[in-house]
Amino acid sequence: MPSPGPAAFPIDAVRDRFPALRRASPFIYLDNAAGAQAPRIVLDAVAGHLLDFNVQRGGRYARSVEVDRVIDRARRQVATFLGADNPEEVAFGMNATSFMRLVSLAIGQTLTAPRDEIVVTDLDHHANISTWLDLARTGAEIRWWRMREDHRLHVEDLIPLLSERTRLVACTVVSHALGSRVDVAAVARAAHGVGAEVFLDCVHYSPHAPIDVKAWDCDYLVCSGYKAFAPHMGFLWGKFAALSALPTFREEFIPDAPPHKIEAGTFIFENVAGMAAAVDYLEALGADLDPAADTPRARVLAAMGGVEAYEQHLSRRMLSALAAAGATVYGVTNPNGVHLRVPTFTFNLPGVEPATVAQAMADAQIGIRDGHMYAPRLMDRLGLAMATGAARASLVHYNTSEEIDRFGETLRRLSA
Ligand SMILES: Cc1ncc(COP(=O)(O)O)c(C=O)c1O
């Protein structure tokens, strides 16, 4: 279905909600895959928490009781963001990588001889590969699901790798380097068909389109708040039964029940308050886009549906800017295929080092990134050296066509 035109998206009102954008002007943020900006409502929530409730949870005095209330509300807001029914399925922590390690260490303890295979992909961020590869030391067999020459993972290639020996499939929802989307609902159907579980890296996908853990029917999913308009923090969602069964490390007086069995030690409460406010921001955007959206989840869906449609326009414009400069783009390059990707573009200019491209952009007040994107397997597949890698420009819904035009002009000057 064609997406509505970019005029339908309230880009000026969106940008007004992000103070960092005006403050940095004329600097252009095109490194959002490494971390996005936060709206005013998030900044206020973090500052408000530090001003009024900067104490430990679990006390009897009002400020401490309030910290527990803030965390409970954040669980509800994140559950709304994910389409989950049970907020107790949401655990907070430092980042996505530490949750990947926590779950993989736990899964490692449950591997038994007939079900000892883990499937990983060569498209993923290395955080969601290396932690599973480490299980090979304790007896796991690793199976590789490889992307095709079109730079996409095809579920048809996963199916022959699955059997009654498969314990878990670990894969991304979208590539943080190439922007290619994965049909994760089909992954879960295939994996569950042989009795295996699915662990999804949703870090890069989360700012771009609706998440629906029930429709996807995944077992575990991890996100980083700082990629989704919140401060630095991470969260893990898992089916209640799956989390309940995980052997996690915890002090013996902590009940063996989610979410507390997953949350060892203290996490950063003010940033959790900020994550809840990031979902509030999305709800407000959803209410603007669809005044008929009358539940928190309906508003989040309206927001993320609008973001997804607007970003498809950004993707088409980026593809044309990159093509005009003669860039080699990795991932989906057909302008009619933008629904198969998010606006994250890894590319190279023939004869120009990626570092030179990123430096020229920096000199022109445009922030992009160069390097291996924490994806050594992917670099290898693309025939790129780890030391130099490629350049990456990554957009979110507060970026504009005009910013893409400035990026395109700088790129064309470089390639000339
Ligand atoms: C797709 C993906 N997975 C995992 C990570 C690691 O996330 P964190 O920094 O929260 O550990 C990143 C970070 O860039 C990422 O892009």
Side-chain angles (χ1 to χ4, degrees):
M1 201 173 67
S3 54
F9 193 71
I11 184 63
D12 291 336
V14 163
R15 289 179 70 83
D16 281 346
R17 287 182 162 138
F18 285 82
L21 301 182
R22 273 203 212 303
R23 203 176 160 88
S25 178
F27 178 79
I28 298 177
Y29 288 96
L30 294 186
D31 189 22
N32 297 291
Q37 299 308 303
R40 162 77 63 198
I41 193 174
V42 169
L43 310 184
D44 290 346
V46 174
H49 191 92
L50 288 172
L51 272 173
D52 293 327
F53 313 121
N54 190 21
V55 297
Q56 184 56 282
R57 63 192 300 189
R60 296 190 192 280
Y61 54 100
R63 282 185 168 67
S64 181
V65 171
E66 188 61 23
V67 175
D68 284 314
R69 201 193 62 79
V70 165
I71 295 168
D72 288 347
R73 177 171 185 278
R75 280 195 220 288
R76 289 197 299 279
Q77 285 300 79
V78 168
T80 299
F81 181 54
L82 303 178
D85 286 335
N86 184 357
E88 302 285 290
E89 294 174 331
V90 176
F92 293 121
M94 293 304 289
N95 52 45
T97 304
S98 52
F99 278 129
M100 289 167 179
R101 186 63 70 169
L102 181 146
V103 174
S104 64
L105 285 174
I107 298 279
Q109 292 177 54
T110 66
L111 287 178
T112 43
R115 210 176 257 289
D116 56 359
E117 292 184 359
I118 308 273
V119 179
V120 293
T121 88
D122 59 3
L123 184 70
D124 269 80
H125 190 286
H126 205 55
N128 197 31
I129 300 175
S130 63
T131 198
W132 303 107
L133 295 187
D134 283 351
L135 295 186
R137 285 205 296 266
T138 48
E141 293 287 332
I142 303 296
R143 296 277 171 267
W144 284 93
W145 179 16
R146 297 184 199 281
M147 71 170 187
R148 288 194 189 168
E149 293 306 310
D150 63 2
H151 298 167
R152 297 179 55 220
L153 287 171
H154 291 256
V155 179
E156 300 91 294
D157 303 335
L158 168 68
I159 288 165
L161 303 173
L162 300 174
S163 71
E164 68 284 351
R165 286 190 63 183
T166 315
R167 172 69 180 85
L168 181 130
V169 177
C171 76
T172 192
V173 185
V174 69
S175 164
H176 68 291
L178 309 185
S180 314
R181 292 171 76 149
V182 181
D183 183 353
V184 290
V187 171
R189 276 195 300 278
H192 292 160
V194 297
E197 288 187 312
V198 173
F199 182 97
L200 294 182
D201 176 349
C202 198
V203 171
H204 189 65
Y205 177 92
S206 62
H208 295 298
I211 302 172
D212 193 335
V213 289
K214 279 193 293 186
W216 294 352
D217 195 22
C218 49
D219 299 282
Y220 313 94
L221 174 144
V222 73
C223 281
S224 310
Y226 71 98
K227 306 289 171 88
F229 319 115
H232 286 89
M233 54 82 73
F235 55 87
L236 171 76
W237 170 89
K239 285 181 178 166
F240 195 81
L243 294 181
S244 301
L246 276 189
T248 56
F249 50 93
R250 62 187 169 85
E251 294 89 346
E252 62 280 12
F253 46 81
I254 307 255
D256 189 15
H260 303 292
K261 65 178 283 189
I262 318 282
E263 293 173 341
T266 304
F267 47 86
I268 304 177
F269 303 144
E270 60 272 25
N271 290 357
V272 167
M275 184 66 229
V279 183
D280 296 341
Y281 158 72
L282 293 175
E283 275 199 52
L285 175 60
D288 287 350
L289 288 169
D290 179 6
D294 59 355
T295 63
R297 177 67 180 160
R299 288 189 284 276
V300 164
L301 286 176
M304 296 316 293
V307 162
E308 185 178 23
Y310 174 69
E311 288 189 0
Q312 290 184 7
H313 290 281
L314 296 182
S315 282
R316 274 191 283 272
R317 203 163 178 117
M318 275 297 283
L319 285 172
S320 113
L322 287 158
T328 304
V329 179
Y330 309 97
V332 175
T333 54
N334 182 344
N336 296 324
V338 288
H339 58 287
L340 301 172
R341 62 147 48 252
V342 297
T344 300
F345 296 88
T346 286
F347 64 94
N348 270 314
L349 275 189
V352 187
E353 289 291 321
T356 308
V357 175
Q359 187 59 57
M361 289 288 169
D363 295 344
Q365 290 289 310
I366 303 173
I368 68 164
R369 185 159 293 266
D370 66 284
H372 53 61
M373 314 300 153
Y374 303 87
R377 306 275 167 166
L378 181 62
M379 292 298 118
D380 192 42
R381 282 297 308 279
L382 299 175
L384 299 172
M386 271 297 275
T388 47
R392 181 183 70 186
S394 52
L395 289 75
V396 289
H397 71 281
Y398 52 61
N399 288 121
T400 66
S401 304
E402 294 72 29
E403 291 180 330
I404 294 175
D405 294 348
R406 242 182 75 195
F407 164 85
E409 279 157 29
T410 310
L411 206 60
R412 281 199 301 283
R413 270 205 303 278
L414 248 181
S415 66

